[in-house]
């Protein structure tokens, strides 16, 4: 019997007296790709921060790789890219190469170069992190999260400031990592239509779980038609590429 990589049980969280997560129970299996979508203020980032222990648990339980959150210590199994790069000091006098080496347990030039090329930033290796554009910085931090070969990648609104071409390349990369390398992915986004092209499963969150299932299930759901209205549901589903690879 396989153990869920992520499991939450009855997770509830309040800011002051305002409930932002309400009785959230979910599971993520090895090799899964879960897109978490919902409107602004729906609790998406709060859910991720609870799962990672960035916010202390109030009510409910979180398990990572079968272990209770408070006992989990193998953080090298998880790569995380936060919603904002506030943790990045753009004045840090380090190159992209040096940023990546911080994520390596031992120096491995070949492995580092492979990740740089995978992210399309091999030509930026010697550049200072503060000299890069926002999108390039994001790619560098993503490369750092990949270099330890984590089993789980968690992205919180990773494409907010990216141009459409870079955004599409990023989504294609996440799909490749998931399909070809078996890396489990959790990706938070507000764009239901786009994530439907890539994620195996979708979770629509608005403080509580409104829907969970495949994108095709979402588009065929009469319950979701009632929730969104037929016009909005049609617009969302029309964005979906009907030639989606079944991989």
């Amino acid at each position: 019997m396989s153990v869920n990589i992520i499991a939450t049980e009855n997770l509830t969280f309040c800011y002051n007296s305002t409930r932002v997560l309400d009785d959230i129970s979910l599971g993520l299996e090895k090799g899964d790709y879960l897109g978490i979508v919902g409107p602004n203020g729906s609790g998406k980032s709060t859910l991720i921060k609870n799962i990672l222990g960035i916010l202390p648990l109030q009510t409910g339980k979180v398990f990572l790789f079968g272990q209770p959150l408070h006992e989990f210590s193998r953080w090298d199994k998880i790569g995380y890219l936060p919603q904002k790069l506030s943790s990045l000091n753009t004045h840090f006098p380090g190159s992209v190469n040096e940023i990546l080496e911080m994520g390596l347990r031992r120096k491995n030039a070949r492995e580092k170069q492979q990740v740089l090329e995978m992210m399309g930033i091999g030509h930026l290796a010697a550049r200072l992190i503060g000299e890069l554009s926002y999108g390039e910085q994001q790619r560098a931090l993503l490369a750092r999260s990949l270099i330890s070969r984590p089993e789980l990648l968690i992205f919180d609104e990773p494409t907010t400031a990216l141009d459409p071409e870079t955004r599409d390349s990023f989504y294609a990369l996440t799909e490749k990592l998931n399909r070809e390398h078996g890396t489990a992915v959790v990706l938070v986004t507000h764009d239901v239509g786009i994530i439907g092209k890539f994620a195996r499963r979708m979770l629509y969150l608005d403080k509580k779980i409104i829907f969970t299932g495949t994108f095709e299930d979402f588009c065929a759901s009469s319950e979701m038609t009632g929730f969104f209205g037929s016009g909005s549901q049609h617009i969302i589903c029309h964005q979906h590429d009907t030639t989606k690879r079944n991989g």
Side-chain angles (χ1 to χ4, degrees), residues 136-147:
E136 290 168 341
Q137 289 174 354
Q138 209 164 25
R139 284 176 175 240
L141 288 189
L142 175 57
R144 182 185 172 188
S145 70
L146 294 175
I147 203 161

Side-chain angles (χ1 to χ4, degrees), residues 84-92 99 129 137-138 141:
K84 297 179 181 178
L85 303 186
S86 55
S87 59
L88 174 64
N89 180 1
T90 55
H91 300 291
F92 176 71
I99 294 290
I129 192 73
Q137 289 174 354
Q138 209 164 25
L141 288 189

Side-chain angles (χ1 to χ4, degrees), residues 81-218:
L81 190 66
Q83 183 175 12
K84 297 179 181 178
L85 303 186
S86 55
S87 59
L88 174 64
N89 180 1
T90 55
H91 300 291
F92 176 71
S95 67
V96 172
N97 259 332
E98 291 165 335
I99 294 290
L100 260 67
E101 286 173 359
M102 291 178 182
L104 281 171
R105 280 171 284 181
R106 64 182 188 280
K107 289 192 176 182
N108 186 323
R110 181 182 177 185
E111 188 173 12
K112 183 174 63 177
Q113 191 60 34
Q114 284 177 338
V115 174
L116 284 168
E117 296 302 329
M118 181 187 295
M119 289 307 304
I121 55 173
H123 62 295
L124 301 175
R127 294 273 301 278
L128 294 177
I129 192 73
E131 296 176 347
L132 307 184
S133 69
Y134 183 90
E136 290 168 341
Q137 289 174 354
Q138 209 164 25
R139 284 176 175 240
L141 288 189
L142 175 57
R144 182 185 172 188
S145 70
L146 294 175
I147 203 161
S148 63
R149 296 187 180 276
E151 297 179 38
L152 168 65
L153 288 169
I154 299 178
F155 305 118
D156 190 358
E157 296 280 8
T159 64
T160 303
L162 300 184
D163 61 83
E165 183 178 357
T166 304
R167 181 199 63 196
D168 291 346
S169 296
F170 173 82
Y171 278 124
L173 174 63
T174 63
E175 184 180 44
K176 180 178 180 180
L177 290 168
N178 177 251
R179 300 296 196 268
E180 297 182 14
H181 299 274
T183 307
V185 177
V186 175
L187 197 151
V188 173
T189 180
H190 65 279
D191 197 328
V192 184
I194 294 295
I195 195 60
K197 296 180 183 179
F198 303 100
R200 296 176 186 268
R201 289 195 299 127
M202 190 177 83
L203 186 151
Y204 194 93
L205 184 70
D206 194 356
K207 298 181 176 59
K208 60 183 180 180
I209 296 176
I210 305 299
F211 170 85
T212 182
T214 67
F215 191 77
E216 288 79 7
D217 291 340
F218 171 84

